[in-house]
Amino acid sequence: IVHWNIDKHYLADLSRAGIATVPSRYIEPRDAIEPALRDFLDEFPDSRDFVVKPCIGAGSRDARRHSRDQFAAATAQIKGLLAQGRSVLLQPYLDRVDSAGETALVYIDGLYSHAIRKGPLLSRGADSTNHLFAPEQIDSRQPGADERELGDRVRAAIPHTGALLYTRVDLIRDGNGAPLVLELELVEPSLFFIHGEQSAQRMATAILGHAAEARTKC
């Protein structure tokens, strides 16, 4: 699970499994940068902005939002990431996130626990944060039925048998209002216990349960 989830190529696996994800394209260290970036922009002509981020990263580090006319800046960012041997993820920036933000669904021991709203993080042309996370605006949120349904489908598509201790599914809506998976957080995500009543207690109970089960197998 760790090996699979730390690399954002997992979004391609989810898409192939029929999960609605934010459109994601990849540039690998062996690829020519400018043709790949032009092909991406041609594929999404209606997107005013796009996001460049490393496939393996921490928090918001090295993630930037560019406008279409910032081709040179985006190319330089991609070149820097590829020079480090890192694959690059390209995604069209979905404008609806500026008003609606993201929805993060938190599951504990396979059961839905709570959800939060996360405000937009990336400003056009801004440098990537020097900290682990960009400043975040977090509020409680009651997810829509369509978000809950997509979250359940995502969990079913994870290549793992049995209930995971925790899962966080980050969603944003497209221009038509349909939810899409932005990220699936299975490796040390923030779980926002302060926004879910009794969620910390549920997590503690789940940890004890998993530990007891592990002891019986030893």
Side-chain angles (χ1 to χ4, degrees):
I1 285 295
V2 172
H3 178 76
W4 179 73
N5 189 235
I6 61 172
D7 187 329
K8 291 182 176 61
H9 283 88
Y10 72 77
L11 290 168
D13 293 338
L14 292 178
S15 181
R16 284 191 289 268
I19 302 298
T21 64
V22 175
S24 302
R25 302 295 181 264
Y26 303 90
I27 301 181
E28 309 297 345
R30 64 182 178 274
D31 295 339
I33 299 173
E34 292 193 8
L37 182 54
R38 293 191 188 281
D39 287 346
F40 168 79
L41 294 175
D42 289 344
E43 185 178 359
F44 302 99
D46 296 330
S47 295
R48 297 183 304 165
D49 294 356
F50 61 99
V51 175
V52 176
K53 63 178 74 171
C55 284
I56 299 178
S60 303
R61 282 187 178 179
D62 300 318
R64 292 184 63 186
R65 170 185 171 185
H66 300 276
S67 64
R68 297 180 71 88
D69 60 3
Q70 293 175 312
F71 189 91
T75 299
Q77 181 192 358
I78 296 168
K79 182 178 180 180
L81 293 171
L82 296 181
Q84 300 170 19
R86 305 167 77 184
S87 298
V88 173
L89 173 65
L90 305 176
Q91 294 177 319
Y93 187 84
L94 302 184
D95 293 337
R96 197 177 180 112
V97 72
D98 289 334
S99 58
E102 302 175 20
T103 297
L105 306 175
V106 177
Y107 299 82
I108 296 175
D109 209 17
L111 299 176
Y112 171 75
S113 173
H114 58 283
I116 59 98
R117 176 194 183 276
K118 184 187 298 184
L121 295 177
L122 301 178
S123 300
R124 178 187 293 177
D127 289 334
S128 56
T129 182
N130 292 322
H131 304 285
L132 180 57
F133 298 100
E136 296 179 329
Q137 177 187 351
I138 305 296
D139 303 289
S140 299
R141 167 170 277 179
Q142 184 67 34
D146 54 350
E147 293 174 316
R148 288 285 305 275
E149 179 183 3
L150 180 55
D152 290 342
R153 292 183 59 220
V154 171
R155 290 190 306 107
I158 296 172
H160 176 74
T161 57
L164 295 173
L165 178 61
Y166 57 82
T167 303
R168 198 184 88 201
V169 183
D170 293 350
L171 308 174
I172 59 177
R173 293 186 181 273
D174 64 16
N176 296 318
L180 304 174
V181 175
L182 177 63
E183 290 191 350
L184 172 61
E185 299 281 4
L186 304 178
V187 183
E188 54 75 41
S190 299
L191 297 177
F192 309 109
F193 293 125
I194 195 172
H195 296 286
E197 186 177 359
Q198 300 296 313
S199 58
Q201 289 84 347
R202 287 194 293 273
M203 183 67 168
T205 299
I207 291 171
L208 291 173
H210 280 246
E213 181 180 354
R215 283 198 301 269
T216 63
K217 294 179 180 179
C218 292

